[in-house]
Amino acid sequence: LDAGKHALAKKAVNLGLEQHPTSVDLKFMQVELYIFDNELDKAVLLLKKIEKIEPDNDEVFIQKGNISSKKGEHKEAIQFYNEALALTEDKSDIWSFIGMEYLYLDDFDNARLQFAKCMEVDYEDYSSLYNIVYCFDMNSQHEDAIVFLNNYLDINPYCEVAWHQLGRQFFVLNRFEEALTAFDYAVLIDEFFIGGYIEKAT
């Protein structure tokens, strides 16, 4: 599944379930395959069976959230993810899922708060960093984005991604000299950082 070899994953899960029909882990993988194939009714049915066996398994609610998201029921997905949060100590991925649901709802303030929680756990979570800046962009909160990025750079000053994003915010505000300085830092930190060179050329 991680390698994107979907057909082989199906064969492996089917073979696994023939040999170990009570394996909950394999059943969760079967649910993932059903969701991938858009066979949502089958996924829901199998999840109900798993939930009877392990009603407090956070993965049940994560997969329910995934199904709701795929159906476009983003508020319901958030509710399921929140139920999963109450059952697990490893919350980072779930905060990210919730953040994405808020993005689908164009609720950029709540989305940003969820991605900020992810960054509190892992300050080098650049996916969440990009998403936070995107939320600021969508609300035209460029000054707030600059404050956020400067605070981030105080803690992680050698992050070329943050310098690049800071330069973009300065550029939008027509603060071109500050933008150039930020892009310079980005390419000084990583001489192969193409985005910094492109922005400088622009």
Side-chain angles (χ1 to χ4, degrees):
L1 277 174
D2 290 343
K5 296 183 177 179
H6 187 65
L8 285 175
K10 269 187 173 178
K11 286 181 183 177
V13 168
N14 288 335
L15 184 63
L17 283 170
E18 281 176 22
Q19 295 179 10
H20 308 281
T22 60
S23 169
V24 171
D25 288 339
L26 285 170
K27 286 177 181 176
F28 275 127
M29 288 186 183
Q30 181 72 73
V31 169
E32 281 188 52
L33 288 166
Y34 283 146
I35 294 171
F36 185 88
D37 288 336
N38 216 32
E39 295 181 294
L40 302 183
D41 290 340
K42 288 183 180 179
V44 168
L45 200 62
L46 184 52
L47 271 178
K48 284 179 180 175
K49 291 177 182 177
I50 297 171
E51 191 172 8
K52 286 179 182 176
I53 302 166
E54 296 190 5
D56 294 328
N57 191 320
D58 61 296
E59 188 67 23
V60 169
F61 297 97
I62 290 171
Q63 294 303 338
K64 283 183 177 182
N66 290 343
I67 292 166
S68 294
S69 181
K70 193 128 188 188
K71 289 179 177 177
E73 297 166 353
H74 302 297
K75 289 181 180 178
E76 185 177 88
I78 290 168
Q79 289 177 343
F80 284 130
Y81 290 138
N82 278 321
E83 287 186 67
L85 277 176
L87 297 169
T88 184
E89 292 189 7
D90 186 13
K91 300 179 186 295
S92 188
D93 284 344
I94 302 174
W95 285 327
S96 183
F97 293 150
I98 295 172
M100 291 307 298
E101 297 307 312
Y102 278 123
L103 284 184
Y104 293 136
L105 294 167
D106 293 335
D107 185 344
F108 301 110
D109 288 333
N110 275 316
R112 180 170 49 80
L113 291 173
Q114 296 301 318
F115 294 123
K117 290 177 185 177
C118 296
M119 293 203 68
E120 286 173 16
V121 174
D122 178 8
Y123 229 67
E124 294 188 352
D125 180 353
Y126 295 147
S127 175
S128 290
L129 178 66
Y130 278 119
N131 282 325
I132 289 170
V133 175
Y134 175 77
C135 291
F136 282 126
D137 280 341
M138 294 307 291
N139 283 335
S140 299
Q141 295 172 316
H142 304 294
E143 295 286 357
D144 290 336
I146 289 169
V147 170
F148 165 77
L149 287 163
N150 276 322
N151 288 336
Y152 178 82
L153 285 164
D154 284 342
I155 297 166
N156 191 8
Y158 298 105
C159 176
E160 71 279 7
V161 172
W163 282 111
H164 174 248
Q165 293 298 308
L166 182 62
R168 284 185 59 253
Q169 298 304 313
F170 284 134
F171 183 83
V172 169
L173 296 172
N174 297 324
R175 292 160 63 176
F176 300 123
E177 286 188 21
E178 290 165 289
L180 274 173
T181 300
F183 295 140
D184 279 338
Y185 276 119
V187 296
L188 278 170
I189 293 164
D190 180 0
E191 62 180 310
F192 300 107
F193 188 60
I194 302 298
Y197 293 110
I198 292 170
E199 298 288 0
K200 279 183 73 175
T202 305

